[in-house]
Amino acid sequence: MIRATDDNEYYELTSPTLLPKASGFLWNEKMMIHMNCRGYAVAQFMQPEPAKYSHAPNLEAKTFMQPEQPYYAHHPGRFVYVKDEESGEIFSAPYEPVRVPTDRYTFAVGKSRIVWRVELKGILIEMSLSLPKEEPMELWRIKVKNLSQKSRKLSIYPYFTVGYMSWMNQSGLYREDLQAIVCSSVTPYQKYQDYDKIKEFSDKTFLIAERAPLAWEVNQEAFEGEGGIMMPSAIQCEELAKGDALYETPTAVMQYRIELEPDEEEGYRFAFGPAQDEEQIARIRGSLFLSQNAAGEDGFTLAEREYDAYIREGKGCIEISTPDRDLDNFVNHWLPRQMYYHGITNRLTTDPQTRNLLQDHMGMSYIKPQTTREAFLLALSQQNASGAMPDGIILHKDAELKYINQVPHTDHCVWLPICLSTYLDETNDYTILEEQVPYADDFKTESVYEHIHRAMHWLMNDRDERGLNFIKQGDWCDPMNMVGYKGKGVSGWLTIATAYAFRVWSEICENSGRTEAAKAFRMAAEETNEAVNKHLWDGDWYARGITDEGVAFGISADREGRIFINPQGWSMLSGAADEEKRARLIRAVEEQLETPYGVEKLAPSYTSMREDVGRVTQKHPGSAENGAVYNHAAAFYIYALYVVGEKDRAYRLLRKMLPGPSLEDIIQRGQLPIFIPNYYRGAYRQFPRTAGRSSHLFNTGTVPWVYRCLIDGLFGVQGTPEGIRIEPQLPSDWKGAIVKRDFRGARLHIEIKREIGVNSAEVYVDGTRLEDGILRDVQSGTEYHVVVKIPE
């Protein structure tokens, strides 16, 4: 019922009810669409802020895409109603809204296309969705085939939700000259100053058809009639009424009547999306359906092909073959795709959180490092001369800091050296440290090195008398907003992360010839770790923080929120936890935080508001930051386990990030293994019924850290200034693995195998043993054959 295709191009689900929220997503740099297996959609485009062209039936608040997206009968969707003209029977593809059980069903998510194939009583409906490379628009193909042994008379009704566009002005009609339904609105506003902005908006929604329809309906209420969305009155009539919408909720429905002989099929193509005016719609229609290139391809086919090539540009730098075939599929095909989405679109926001931008582009170091370089320079250009980084990075001239970026957080500086280190590992481009960059609040320009140096000193100075870093209204955990709003509360995690940032920065300084600075920051890391152990160690794990009132939390005395994962993992990275502390905290994590679905962010989940911690405690127990298996935090912990050589523990938790391999696990999570969601439900010991349920939210900082776990940890193919260190940490039950690694223009073919008599890893390159496991002086354009022998 759930499988990858033989060519690994698609992941297929063969039931619309087994995983009713199973989904896939497509994007370009101007839009995103999230489609579920039953035909429901969440889509947005940028103008420059996120906007909708396919709306809900009520006025929607402007928010980011939400976790655990609720679906309902009138949720925006893309459907095809099918009516047998002889029997009068009606069904819909891909499943909603009529919900007639099908004879055969396939939902296939590909890298650049999503496809549904639905068979019922001898009729096949195939729907496929793709996008153009650049424009905000959906490209749909609909095929109808007669699989029966008799001729069939059918009407099909492609249905595209337009929804409630505006309380000010909304309407719709069919334009024969455009062969399109065009729905118009005016974005609501009240301040006259906003008019100059909204007058340029793409407030029209179009459905362009390649083939002229027999009839249409543009009035949602008239289409549904008394039958409702599940059995619209309009399709029980011989023809749609060709109605319009005049300050009424519009929709986009077309009717085609066909007669099909056995094995005969008909195909239809549509474009659906936003536009500013009818002239633009006419240009789109012309470019897609009325023009051809020298090879005879029309614009629609060319756009599909260009989009596929665009998506394939997001290729990762490793290809693996291991005993875990599901892991191979995910790492080779889906993980880099999700990482590329984050890095190339900036999550489709004009003011990404600083920590998100830096970590997302940490991942782009493995795909398009030049993009990473540009993102770092942009972020540093918005730093204050004090060294403080802003809460968000402005990407568009008309953008402003919004929502969470208006709340002061104190962690953004720590990500600079941590994320930069990955870029340097991949590229060895230490020239970036000499790039001259301005400050946001000062006319002077200084080098990237000086910018990060100031950021580290800002962290060093933003502390209390104990040497613990202030939290203000949050750190990496956004909703931990009441620990330090009075100016005294501190973050245990941030203090530990600061020590790690100092360690990483000292290494970068050392590698760039700044030995005195390297020594100073190594000492700063040691001093910070001493403060951590003096004030935050609780006997078996580290506290999460200390409130404005001087109350430590995330400690054994707490009834809820006793233990948080982040301080434990980062203490292994920073060096705060010695061998004895490491053993204690690992045991505490396994006993209190580990679940069948991964490691929880905290436990027990809060069940009521704790006013000295904040709104994180108000979230439903086991959801999001309140005790979910929050994969971003889990990835930090897994990375730390690899850093300290805990390879079996690390892999066990890494594998839990993917649904499966058992069908039971996939059903409980409700998600196909084609992306890592930001969380799976936690509170496993409190609410086991819902534990493991996927949020289905594919925006997450998890993915670059998982890739780091693979590169630096599991397969041990991490870059160094000298070249590449080969030091795999395979789980004990693996006999071996094969890795293809693209690195600085070279390709390494690496075979890892266990051999009797080998006491420690032995690395051979083209037959020559590397005593320290480092392949130096890697030459671009060269292929290297590497054999790694590891103990049996």
Side-chain angles (χ1 to χ4, degrees):
M1 301 183 84
I2 301 166
R3 72 176 191 96
T5 56
D6 292 340
D7 59 5
N8 290 312
E9 287 295 311
Y10 290 87
Y11 218 97
E12 294 184 337
L13 170 67
T14 58
S15 166
T17 56
L18 185 68
L19 305 179
K21 290 189 177 183
S23 60
F25 68 97
L26 301 176
W27 79 90
N28 60 36
E29 288 163 55
K30 292 183 180 177
M31 72 166 289
M32 174 278 296
I33 182 166
H34 182 220
M35 291 292 316
N36 89 350
C37 64
R38 294 158 73 109
Y40 289 132
V42 177
Q44 64 185 37
F45 72 107
M46 308 298 288
Q47 62 169 359
E49 298 296 343
K52 297 287 182 67
Y53 55 92
S54 179
H55 305 258
N58 59 326
L59 195 62
E60 296 180 278
K62 290 185 177 180
T63 66
F64 299 109
M65 186 180 166
Q66 297 301 303
E68 302 198 49
Q69 175 70 55
Y71 298 105
Y72 47 93
H74 280 85
H75 192 283
R78 318 288 185 260
F79 312 115
V80 177
Y81 292 92
V82 181
K83 180 171 72 173
D84 187 311
E85 292 286 5
E86 295 176 315
S87 69
E89 292 178 288
I90 294 171
F91 72 95
S92 62
Y95 182 71
E96 300 287 352
V98 181
R99 300 186 179 182
V100 174
T102 59
D103 295 332
R104 288 186 180 84
Y105 169 95
T106 303
F107 171 60
V109 182
K111 298 173 187 175
S112 61
R113 185 186 298 270
I114 299 175
V115 181
W116 295 260
R117 288 182 291 273
V118 177
E119 293 181 30
L120 182 63
K121 295 184 177 181
I123 299 299
L124 167 68
I125 303 293
E126 183 174 289
M127 305 167 61
S128 69
L129 167 66
S130 185
L131 305 179
K133 177 182 177 181
E134 296 177 348
E135 295 306 311
M137 187 191 320
E138 303 169 25
L139 303 177
W140 285 89
R141 290 178 181 264
I142 297 173
K143 182 176 76 174
V144 187
K145 185 174 183 179
N146 180 7
L147 302 177
S148 70
Q149 298 305 305
K150 64 177 183 178
S151 62
R152 305 294 292 270
K153 295 181 179 179
L154 306 169
S155 276
I156 68 162
Y157 307 82
Y159 173 100
F160 293 74
T161 300
V162 178
Y164 186 33
M165 303 177 78
S166 168
W167 53 260
M168 275 186 60
N169 190 327
Q170 60 176 5
S171 61
L173 76 167
Y174 177 75
R175 287 280 300 264
E176 291 193 40
D177 57 326
L178 299 175
Q179 218 155 274
I181 289 173
V182 180
C183 302
S184 303
S185 66
V186 175
T187 294
Y189 74 102
Q190 292 175 323
K191 298 177 182 178
Y192 76 86
Q193 295 95 331
D194 291 335
Y195 172 68
D196 283 341
K197 183 187 298 183
I198 70 103
K199 72 179 182 181
E200 303 298 329
F201 281 1
S202 295
D203 272 348
K204 295 184 183 296
T205 298
F206 63 80
L207 175 63
I208 305 173
E210 179 188 21
R211 298 169 61 171
L214 168 69
W216 57 86
E217 183 55 75
V218 191
N219 189 306
Q220 179 75 38
E221 188 174 352
F223 176 68
E224 290 191 22
E226 295 303 312
I229 191 70
M230 295 184 71
M231 191 60 65
S233 297
I235 63 175
Q236 298 177 50
C237 300
E238 185 176 348
E239 288 186 7
L240 296 181
K242 301 182 179 179
D244 57 15
L246 302 175
Y247 195 54
E248 297 159 302
T249 301
T251 189
V253 192
M254 295 183 180
Q255 179 182 4
Y256 296 87
R257 184 173 293 144
I258 53 178
E259 293 189 25
L260 295 176
E261 296 302 316
D263 293 324
E264 188 179 3
E265 65 181 53
E266 291 282 358
Y268 305 85
R269 298 188 297 178
F270 303 89
F272 183 58
Q276 188 173 8
D277 51 38
E278 284 81 356
E279 289 76 14
Q280 183 183 5
I281 297 171
R283 288 194 298 272
I284 292 170
R285 178 171 180 262
S287 66
L288 291 178
F289 299 122
L290 304 180
S291 61
Q292 291 186 339
N293 62 13
E297 293 178 310
D298 63 17
F300 192 100
T301 303
L302 181 61
E304 290 175 315
R305 187 161 56 79
E306 287 178 343
Y307 180 67
D308 182 68
Y310 161 76
I311 292 298
R312 292 179 190 278
E313 290 174 11
K315 181 179 179 293
C317 64
I318 56 172
E319 183 179 335
I320 66 172
S321 177
T322 76
D324 189 336
R325 296 307 179 203
D326 292 324
L327 179 74
D328 297 350
N329 186 3
F330 183 71
V331 170
N332 295 341
H333 299 281
W334 299 103
L335 178 59
R337 177 184 185 269
Q338 188 179 4
M339 197 161 62
Y340 182 53
Y341 156 76
H342 283 81
I344 207 70
T345 69
N346 295 299
R347 309 194 190 192
L348 289 170
T349 177
T350 58
D351 66 323
Q353 289 177 279
T354 301
R355 75 175 71 90
N356 288 349
L357 180 126
L358 293 173
Q359 290 176 89
D360 290 348
H361 283 87
M362 178 178 80
M364 285 296 278
S365 301
Y366 300 112
I367 298 174
K368 288 190 173 183
Q370 182 60 32
T371 303
T372 302
R373 195 180 205 273
E374 293 165 1
F376 270 78
L377 297 179
L378 175 64
L380 288 172
S381 73
Q382 297 180 29
Q383 180 187 26
N384 288 334
S386 67
M389 292 294 290
D391 282 287
I393 302 300
I394 298 295
L395 300 181
H396 190 280
K397 62 181 179 61
D398 295 329
E400 56 186 23
L401 296 182
K402 302 178 293 298
Y403 308 115
I404 198 68
N405 287 337
Q406 296 174 334
V407 178
H409 294 73
T410 52
D411 66 303
H412 296 296
C413 287
V414 301
W415 305 107
L416 289 168
I418 293 169
C419 298
L420 180 63
S421 68
T422 296
Y423 171 78
L424 296 173
D425 285 350
E426 281 300 292
T427 65
N428 205 33
D429 175 26
Y430 279 80
T431 65
I432 191 175
L433 297 177
E434 314 308 325
E435 287 279 357
Q436 297 293 306
V437 181
Y439 292 96
D441 61 348
D442 197 304
F443 290 113
K444 65 184 172 188
T445 296
E446 287 189 323
S447 69
V448 166
Y449 168 80
E450 289 295 339
H451 275 260
I452 302 181
H453 193 73
R454 285 177 182 251
M456 296 301 96
H457 278 280
W458 184 88
L459 287 167
M460 206 176 290
N461 295 328
D462 195 46
R463 294 174 162 181
D464 68 4
E465 67 282 357
R466 296 166 294 195
L468 306 178
N469 286 77
F470 293 118
I471 190 172
K472 294 184 181 176
Q473 293 180 45
D475 52 23
W476 172 86
C477 183
D478 289 331
M480 195 173 283
N481 63 327
M482 295 173 75
V483 174
Y485 72 96
K486 297 178 182 177
K488 295 182 180 180
V490 296
S491 166
W493 166 77
L494 179 56
T495 307
I496 297 167
T498 294
Y500 178 54
F502 289 164
R503 284 187 63 178
V504 174
W505 184 235
S506 71
E507 292 171 9
I508 293 173
C509 291
E510 188 77 50
N511 292 336
S512 62
R514 297 173 169 90
T515 55
E516 288 302 312
K519 181 179 178 181
F521 280 101
R522 277 195 298 271
M523 186 177 298
E526 291 171 4
E527 292 171 351
T528 304
N529 282 333
E530 288 176 8
V532 165
N533 283 318
K534 181 178 180 180
H535 299 290
L536 297 171
W537 179 249
D538 188 49
D540 285 303
W541 62 84
Y542 289 95
R544 182 58 174 84
I546 303 173
T547 71
D548 281 321
E549 307 305 324
V551 177
F553 67 99
I555 61 175
S556 57
D558 289 326
R559 184 177 63 85
E560 296 178 340
R562 296 177 74 238
I563 178 171
F564 286 69
I565 189 61
N566 270 357
Q568 319 324 320
W570 288 75
S571 70
M572 294 189 282
L573 294 174
S574 77
D578 59 20
E579 191 171 345
E580 180 185 352
K581 287 184 173 66
R582 200 160 66 219
R584 286 177 176 271
L585 67 86
I586 288 174
R587 183 168 61 250
V589 168
E590 290 181 351
E591 291 174 352
Q592 300 183 61
L593 294 174
E594 189 170 341
T595 80
Y597 313 105
V599 61
E600 293 172 339
K601 183 176 170 290
L602 63 90
S605 295
Y606 293 100
T607 58
S608 61
M609 175 63 161
R610 179 170 167 174
E611 293 185 351
D612 61 347
V613 173
R615 69 185 181 91
V616 62
T617 69
Q618 293 180 287
K619 295 196 173 188
H620 192 280
S623 73
E625 295 93 343
N626 187 16
V629 176
Y630 206 85
N631 285 313
H632 197 173
F636 295 152
Y637 184 70
I638 295 165
Y639 185 78
L641 289 174
Y642 276 121
V643 167
V644 299
E646 291 281 355
K647 62 181 186 296
D648 288 322
R649 287 186 167 97
Y651 184 73
R652 183 179 71 244
L653 294 176
L654 181 67
R655 187 59 182 81
K656 289 181 179 183
M657 285 202 173
L658 284 183
S662 73
L663 181 61
E664 180 185 18
D665 183 84
I666 294 175
I667 291 172
Q668 179 66 18
R669 299 189 197 227
Q671 182 198 305
L672 297 176
I674 56 173
F675 61 84
I676 298 175
N678 74 321
Y679 71 78
Y680 299 108
R681 285 272 197 103
Y684 174 69
R685 294 159 184 84
Q686 295 160 282
F687 303 107
R689 179 177 67 83
T690 54
R693 185 180 293 175
S694 172
S695 71
H696 296 276
L697 181 59
F698 46 82
N699 286 345
T700 172
T702 307
V703 285
W705 282 93
V706 170
Y707 219 75
R708 282 191 78 177
C709 289
L710 299 170
I711 296 289
D712 300 359
L714 178 57
F715 300 109
V717 284
Q718 182 179 5
T720 70
E722 302 96 333
I724 184 169
R725 178 183 292 108
I726 302 168
E727 192 177 9
Q729 295 191 58
L730 301 190
S732 298
D733 59 348
W734 282 12
K735 296 299 183 184
I738 295 173
V739 180
K740 295 178 182 177
R741 170 73 154 106
D742 294 324
F743 181 74
R744 299 180 191 171
R747 168 157 276 207
L748 284 71
H749 301 266
I750 305 170
E751 181 185 4
I752 308 167
K753 56 185 180 180
R754 296 194 185 276
E755 286 199 3
I756 296 173
V758 173
N759 296 317
S760 60
E762 299 176 2
V763 180
Y764 299 85
V765 176
D766 297 327
T768 301
R769 183 172 180 180
L770 306 178
E771 292 300 328
D772 59 2
I774 298 177
L775 173 60
R776 291 172 169 80
D777 193 27
V778 176
Q779 298 296 309
S780 179
T782 302
E783 295 203 5
Y784 298 90
H785 295 272
V786 182
V787 174
V788 186
K789 300 177 182 180
I790 58 178
E792 180 68 45

